Amino acid sequence: VEFNAGVAAMVAAVHQDDVAAYIGNLSGENAVTIGGEDVVLTTRNTENEEMSALATQYVYEFMEGLGLDVQYQEWDDTEEEVSGRNVIGELGGTDAADEIVLITAHLDDMPDEGPAPGADDNGSGSAGVMTAAATMAGQNFSRTIRFALFTGEEYGPLGSAAYAQECSDAGEDIVAVLNMDVMGWDANNDGIMYLGLRKK
């Protein structure tokens, strides 16, 4: 692996205080501004429709503020009788824009009533996605980068499965997925960062 000054600069731009603030904002430790109002996210559980809507709006506005092309993906699982929305921020690629890299985590937590801080599961992974987005926004990459935050994951892979199905139906070329889960505290050695690569 050869030294890359651009990558080194992005790594140096990551600061512990910023990551801690993202987790504090997501877990209700800090009040956050959402739609111009100060809000405390007491839970991010998908079945708490009010709080889930606020949590997804918070990360939507965060990514929009970075200059990313952001959209919601609505999903509805009739079998589990749960519905929600994912947040997808996109940084368009240059010469290989049709090839897509996903950086993902699930945003939701348990239980559906507060306080449900979910700082580790999965505020830590969500903060990882936010950190990657903040660090990479404004940079140029050959491939398209998407920063995806899924809901409905505490009830199974509901939001992520809906998004995967949409990408498959559209015939999109997903070449890599980096998924982050429960990374904040690893006393049981069960923190997960999973990197999936396209098979040739």
Side-chain angles (χ1 to χ4, degrees), residues 23 119-121 124-125 181-192:
I23 296 174
D120 182 28
D121 187 11
S124 60
D181 199 16
V182 293
M183 301 189 308
W185 182 59
D186 199 17
N188 297 319
N189 196 32
D190 57 3
I192 298 170

Side-chain angles (χ1 to χ4, degrees), residues 46-47 49 52 74-78 80-85 151-152 158:
T46 306
E47 289 196 324
E49 294 180 7
S52 182
E74 307 282 344
W75 58 267
D76 184 16
D77 190 289
T78 55
E80 295 292 335
E81 298 182 343
V82 181
S83 61
R85 65 185 182 185
T151 56
L158 305 185

Side-chain angles (χ1 to χ4, degrees), residues 124-193:
S124 60
S126 297
V129 174
M130 294 169 70
T131 300
T135 304
M136 299 170 77
Q139 305 287 331
N140 291 319
F141 297 93
S142 178
R143 296 182 171 107
T144 293
I145 313 293
R146 288 188 190 156
F147 307 94
L149 288 161
F150 302 121
T151 56
E153 301 300 280
E154 295 292 355
Y155 303 96
L158 305 185
S160 60
Y163 185 67
Q165 189 63 57
E166 181 178 284
C167 292
S168 177
D169 291 346
E172 293 187 327
D173 188 7
I174 309 295
V175 299
V177 180
L178 175 64
N179 184 62
M180 293 176 270
D181 199 16
V182 293
M183 301 189 308
W185 182 59
D186 199 17
N188 297 319
N189 196 32
D190 57 3
I192 298 170
M193 183 179 290

